[in-house]
Amino acid sequence: MRPTARAELLWPQVRAALAQLQGALSPPDFDPARDAATFSIAMADATAAMLLPHLISAIESQRALANIRTLPLTTRDPRRLVEEADADLAVGYFPNAIAAIVAQGGDATLHHRQLYATEYVCVMRHDHPLAGQELTLDTFVAAHHLLVTFSGRAHGFVDEALATVGRQRRIVLTVNQFATAGSVVARSDLLTVLPRQFLPATGAEHRLVQKPLPLALASVNVEMMWHLRKDDDPAHRWLRGLLVEAAARQPMVRH
């Protein structure tokens, strides 16, 4: 069976109404030490490495009966993942998805909250030929690069910024994990661009040098995204509060 065109048109409004009804009928309180709960959170490896230790520490200190399942984040647009309830929360940098949610205003069925902000930096090994000099646009473009991408696209935010000034870099290697990126860059002449706050999560921070980028990039605003149906759920509110607290304990970020 397939829904009619009319049913497809009505579904967003019906879904929102059902979510509100579910919220009205949900338990009025949540005791993490009494009520068992399982949550699925989609996030990249570096985000998980930074937030999960603090999150688990808070769960254990409250003797909470909570189970956390992390899902690998393989997209810059996790809206479908959250809408279809494959994840209770998505945590990461989703500028286009967040802009689309904001544009929907009061009709949006997805909610979001910024956890922290950080900046992109250029990263290279300590004894890289460029490590002891100022990084210019010319030397940056002339170098060979490693790109971290979750979607598999061989084109990222840096490449979009370079295109606006008529320049292009050579991508030699593409990976989908920050830890892999740190390990490779620490042992090669490749440069990479990472959020500054993620450097400890590479596991190779002591072997890396970070330099300011020779081009302007927007801040990395790490957000959490969830569905309207979870907005008033006491257990979900508790989880979101723990993530806000975990983010507040991160070094090298702005809140």
Side-chain angles (χ1 to χ4, degrees), residues 160-187:
E160 293 172 4
L162 286 172
T164 64
V165 294
R167 307 297 291 271
Q168 182 178 359
R169 62 176 176 164
R170 182 184 174 194
I171 305 296
V172 174
L173 178 65
T174 301
V175 299
N176 63 1
Q177 290 187 331
F178 289 103
T180 302
S183 178
V184 172
V185 170
R187 295 177 171 86

Side-chain angles (χ1 to χ4, degrees), residues 78-79 82 88-90 94 97-98 101 110-111 223-226:
R79 285 178 292 175
V82 177
D88 296 305
L89 275 173
F94 325 121
I98 297 300
I101 293 171
L110 296 175
H111 290 184
E223 311 243 4
M224 59 179 173
M225 178 193 300
W226 67 94

Side-chain angles (χ1 to χ4, degrees), residues 75-112:
T75 176
R76 286 291 187 190
D77 188 353
R79 285 178 292 175
R80 182 180 294 276
L81 194 67
V82 177
E83 287 171 344
E84 297 181 356
D86 291 323
D88 296 305
L89 275 173
V91 179
Y93 180 42
F94 325 121
N96 295 333
I98 297 300
I101 293 171
V102 171
Q104 289 180 300
D107 295 328
T109 58
L110 296 175
H111 290 184
H112 66 98

Side-chain angles (χ1 to χ4, degrees), residues 216-230:
L217 285 182
S219 295
V220 183
N221 299 321
V222 175
E223 311 243 4
M224 59 179 173
M225 178 193 300
W226 67 94
H227 197 277
L228 172 66
R229 61 177 169 263
K230 296 289 188 179

Side-chain angles (χ1 to χ4, degrees), residues 57-87:
S57 176
I59 289 173
E60 291 183 338
S61 68
Q62 296 185 32
R63 298 184 181 276
L65 301 177
N67 297 314
I68 304 296
R69 183 167 66 98
T70 61
L71 308 175
L73 191 64
T74 58
T75 176
R76 286 291 187 190
D77 188 353
R79 285 178 292 175
R80 182 180 294 276
L81 194 67
V82 177
E83 287 171 344
E84 297 181 356
D86 291 323

